[in-house]
Amino acid sequence: MGEYRSSDDDYDYDYDYDYYDDDDEVDFVDDDENAAELEAAVEPEIPPNSCPSSKVITKESLLAAQMEDLIRVMDLLSLKEHHARTLLIHYRWDVEKVLAVLVEYGKERLFAKAGLTIVETDDVSSSQVSSSYCCNICFDDVSLEEITTMDCGHYFCNSCWTEHFIVKINEGQSRRITCMEHKCNAICDESKIRCLVRARDSDLADKFDRFMLESYIEDNKRVKWCPSVPHCGNAIRIEVDELREVECACGLQFCFRCSYEAHSPCSCYMWDLWSKKCQDESETVNYIAVHTKHCPKCQKLVEKNGGCNLVSCICGQPFCWLCGAATGSDHTWTSIAGHSCGRYKEDREKETESAKRSLERYIHYYSRYEAHRDSSKLESKMKETMEDNIKILEECSTASSKDFVWLFNGVDRLFRSRRVLAYSYPFAYYMFDGDLFADEMTKGEREMKQNLFEDQQQQFEANIEKLSSFLDEKFHLYNEDEIKDLKLRVIALSATTDNLCRNLYECIETDLLGSLKHSVHEIAPYNTNGIEKASLPTFLKIYNKKISHSLMVQKCFFY
């Protein structure tokens, strides 16, 4: 598979659209039971007790989702709200991690790791009560009413506390503002921070509220903002900590790990390389290296536009296209004046040839990647046309069956498979590149694995094209028997395409990426139903009396 052609021959696969004929091994039984079995094979029934493992968090449900975790910790450890928040922010809102540390190390170690210090006092100790108090920060004498004490037991004047909080908020450290006492790492009470800052600057207090609320997303490894542009205002929460691709309620499909568009079977690292390669000028540089040369006088790039190898720069300097050396202006049948280029310069020839091969290889994979993406865009109109044709068919008196779900299931299968096929080309570009995995495979191993992969990829591609052809038929002009035959063909081919897609994933995960010893590349697991749609929440009703009223009424800011 070492030769890459850029002609139309690359697309000359033998797509035999008479895939199912009388001699085929598949025996179609003309009854509803067989069709039902085939349909179940392509669209397996989801168990009734199962639920999506990803959920959409809207701006209306963000506070409720956050409070759900807070209440669990507050009930478990008998903590105040701000203490529970301090714990969860430190442990990235992972309640299970909080429980694990509690069981393994105990409550004291759990609190110490999070910087949580709880002292049973709410004010200055009685032995120090007086009409005035000297603040150890500004050394001013202030009344007892102008002193605030934190949970760690340290107390300073309200003015110093306020200045301290303002600085920390402006520095982006709202989530873990520590006490001003020297070497005290205790986290300050957020309600006291909010009260003191709001008395000075209500806008900054709102900013603090926003930071604390958005901590549930920014610091939570299981929650991420949807990367849509413009931003839809939603976040996605996954229930299990693993690599996966999800679809937001706004319709955007993305990889939860890297926040790029859904790109399996490419690994996140491969997709990052590919997207940058398509955007930057790396291939422009390769084109320049192959198709242009520097003028030996002014060093400007010159592109040849004729067959003669004596070219002239706009500065007037003639030179030889073959070797790039300056020449005289005369060109005869036998020689170029003042020049003879019969010597072979190995290094220069190797550089040019290498750049040319690199460019051709990139074009090979990129053209197929783009071709399948373009096909997917054109096929997206298929559903609308199909709905119109079904209406025509339903009005026809000869149509006894009104069930055309199999058509839409076939279209969904086509879309899902086309997307996987398109992204399999960037994967192959890097998987079988001699540089990225040079230490992982010998040349012989790479060629063997490439042949294995490309055989499966080509078979998968052929079935996708057959399925696309079947779904594009003018079935509204068919009689009842022809429609029944088409139904069996679409259902069977959809099931076959699903199996081939699964096999391609298994080949990538096990035979290719799974065999790597020095590097780790993971892809999102295969899902026969496609990318999982995150479920919209039923708004969480929280009745727990421990929820502070101030938090429930605070504003939620989104970008």
Side-chain angles (χ1 to χ4, degrees):
M1 309 300 292
E3 183 178 352
Y4 300 96
R5 298 167 294 172
S6 58
S7 67
D8 293 338
D9 294 340
D10 287 319
Y11 291 97
D12 289 340
Y13 299 130
D14 185 16
Y15 295 136
D16 181 10
Y17 294 120
D18 295 328
Y19 186 66
Y20 301 109
D21 52 33
D22 295 337
D23 298 329
D24 209 313
E25 295 180 0
V26 180
D27 183 19
F28 292 115
V29 179
D30 193 8
D31 55 38
D32 295 334
E33 183 179 353
N34 188 49
E37 291 178 357
L38 287 172
E39 197 162 3
V42 66
E43 296 294 338
E45 183 180 357
I46 299 176
N49 293 331
S50 66
C51 60
S53 59
S54 56
K55 297 180 181 179
V56 176
I57 299 177
T58 63
K59 58 184 178 181
E60 293 82 12
S61 62
L62 173 58
L63 181 61
Q66 185 187 59
M67 290 305 301
E68 185 181 38
D69 286 347
L70 283 171
I71 288 175
R72 288 180 62 189
V73 175
M74 289 162 63
D75 288 341
L76 177 68
L77 299 173
S78 301
L79 294 176
K80 296 179 180 178
E81 184 181 297
H82 67 279
H83 291 152
R85 192 189 308 275
T86 297
L87 274 180
L88 286 171
I89 289 177
H90 176 76
Y91 291 103
R92 301 193 65 182
W93 290 90
D94 189 339
V95 178
E96 283 69 29
K97 180 65 177 296
V98 173
L99 298 179
V101 175
L102 175 64
V103 171
E104 184 173 358
Y105 298 105
K107 182 183 291 189
E108 185 177 345
R109 184 80 176 272
L110 173 72
F111 290 175
K113 282 179 172 287
L116 181 59
T117 304
I118 302 177
V119 177
E120 297 300 329
T121 179
D122 292 327
D123 212 331
V124 181
S125 61
S126 57
S127 61
Q128 294 176 296
V129 173
S130 61
S131 59
S132 64
Y133 171 75
C134 180
C135 174
N136 288 334
I137 298 295
C138 63
F139 298 106
D140 287 343
D141 290 331
V142 294
S143 64
L144 189 62
E145 289 75 16
E146 297 179 74
I147 294 173
T148 296
T149 307
M150 293 298 163
D151 293 329
C152 56
H154 297 127
Y155 38 86
F156 302 97
C157 72
N158 292 343
S159 179
C160 290
W161 277 123
T162 303
E163 293 295 333
H164 174 64
F165 297 150
I166 289 175
V167 170
K168 293 297 182 181
I169 294 171
N170 287 328
E171 289 179 351
Q173 301 180 35
S174 301
R175 297 161 194 166
R176 291 183 62 84
I177 300 180
T178 57
C179 174
M180 291 190 291
E181 182 69 22
H182 182 58
K183 294 184 178 181
C184 180
N185 296 319
I187 307 301
C188 295
D189 185 338
E190 65 186 68
S191 61
K192 294 179 180 179
I193 296 174
R194 185 180 297 108
C195 180
L196 291 174
V197 172
R198 190 169 295 281
R200 177 82 62 88
D201 188 339
S202 60
D203 291 338
L204 193 62
D206 289 340
K207 184 178 180 181
F208 172 76
D209 286 342
R210 184 189 69 193
F211 285 158
M212 296 302 292
L213 191 59
E214 290 183 350
S215 165
Y216 182 74
I217 296 175
E218 302 292 347
D219 299 327
N220 196 333
K221 66 178 182 179
R222 293 188 179 178
V223 181
K224 280 191 177 180
W225 291 111
C226 171
S228 56
V229 178
H231 192 251
C232 65
N234 294 335
I236 304 295
R237 172 175 176 166
I238 61 172
E239 299 303 321
V240 288
D241 185 20
E242 62 180 30
L243 175 62
R244 61 178 50 248
E245 293 173 334
V246 294
E247 180 178 333
C248 179
C250 69
L252 181 69
Q253 297 178 339
F254 68 98
C255 171
F256 191 85
R257 173 172 289 184
C258 66
S259 295
Y260 279 128
E261 63 181 273
H263 52 71
S264 64
C266 269
S267 68
C268 295
Y269 180 65
M270 288 179 177
W271 180 250
D272 183 51
L273 292 176
W274 178 261
S275 58
K276 288 178 180 177
K277 188 174 188 65
C278 294
Q279 294 173 5
D280 66 16
E281 299 179 357
S282 60
E283 295 312 318
T284 303
V285 173
N286 277 339
Y287 180 88
I288 291 173
V290 174
H291 297 284
T292 65
K293 293 186 184 294
H294 288 279
C295 170
K297 181 179 178 180
C298 67
Q299 297 302 311
K300 291 181 179 178
L301 288 172
V302 178
E303 182 177 11
K304 188 172 73 164
N305 58 7
C308 180
N309 287 318
L310 176 65
V311 297
S312 296
C313 178
I314 57 175
C315 70
Q317 173 65 51
F319 66 95
C320 175
W321 181 258
L322 298 177
C323 67
T327 68
S329 59
D330 295 331
H331 182 209
T332 67
W333 289 103
T334 58
S335 66
I336 299 175
H339 177 68
S340 174
C341 69
R343 297 186 180 276
Y344 175 63
K345 298 178 176 59
E346 185 175 0
D347 292 341
R348 182 177 297 174
E349 292 293 335
K350 284 183 177 180
E351 290 177 2
T352 303
E353 187 63 26
S354 176
K356 184 177 180 180
R357 284 198 303 268
S358 177
L359 179 61
E360 289 177 350
R361 186 173 186 275
Y362 172 74
I363 290 174
H364 171 87
Y365 288 100
Y366 181 78
S367 62
R368 283 148 183 78
Y369 162 73
E370 278 295 319
H372 287 295
R373 282 168 60 94
D374 291 341
S375 294
S376 183
K377 293 176 183 177
L378 294 173
E379 289 166 346
S380 63
K381 301 177 182 178
M382 191 177 290
K383 271 193 175 181
E384 298 177 6
T385 305
M386 193 172 287
E387 289 174 354
D388 294 337
N389 291 339
I390 288 176
K391 289 179 181 178
I392 296 174
L393 201 59
E394 287 176 339
E395 294 173 358
C396 179
S397 58
T398 60
S400 59
S401 175
K402 304 297 183 181
D403 180 18
F404 295 97
V405 176
W406 54 274
L407 275 173
F408 295 107
N409 288 343
V411 171
D412 290 339
R413 173 67 57 204
L414 175 63
F415 290 163
R416 295 195 290 266
S417 301
R418 184 76 76 180
R419 186 195 68 83
V420 171
L421 180 60
Y423 290 104
S424 71
Y425 281 100
F427 167 82
Y429 178 81
Y430 287 107
M431 186 71 219
F432 307 116
D433 180 17
D435 296 329
L436 188 60
F437 299 108
D439 299 333
E440 299 282 359
M441 297 177 285
T442 64
K443 183 178 180 181
E445 290 174 338
R446 184 168 63 250
E447 290 180 355
M448 180 184 66
K449 291 182 178 182
Q450 184 172 355
N451 289 335
L452 172 66
F453 172 80
E454 289 179 348
D455 286 344
Q456 294 200 31
Q457 185 189 46
Q458 185 170 338
Q459 189 179 7
F460 180 43
E461 187 170 27
N463 276 265
I464 289 175
E465 298 302 336
K466 292 184 182 75
L467 181 59
S468 178
S469 175
F470 288 162
L471 292 171
D472 203 31
E473 290 186 17
K474 297 180 180 180
F475 61 89
H476 61 289
L477 303 178
Y478 288 1
N479 59 40
E480 189 169 347
D481 290 337
E482 290 173 328
I483 291 175
K484 189 173 293 186
D485 179 66
L486 178 63
K487 177 179 180 179
L488 294 174
R489 291 171 182 262
V490 169
I491 292 175
L493 188 55
S494 296
T496 302
T497 304
D498 178 41
N499 290 332
L500 290 172
C501 188
R502 187 187 305 275
N503 292 340
L504 187 69
Y505 265 79
E506 290 177 356
C507 174
I508 291 172
E509 289 180 310
T510 305
D511 300 328
L512 300 178
L513 298 180
S515 64
L516 301 178
K517 298 179 180 178
H518 305 292
S519 54
V520 178
H521 287 259
E522 296 178 307
I523 61 174
Y526 179 67
N527 184 356
T528 188
N529 294 314
I531 295 175
E532 180 182 85
K533 294 184 178 181
S535 62
L536 285 168
T538 55
F539 192 81
L540 302 176
K541 297 180 179 180
I542 300 179
Y543 300 100
N544 197 299
K545 295 182 180 180
K546 295 179 182 179
I547 301 176
S548 65
H549 178 71
S550 62
L551 183 58
M552 291 298 292
V553 300
Q554 65 180 267
K555 295 180 180 179
C556 176
F557 294 87
F558 287 81
Y559 40 83

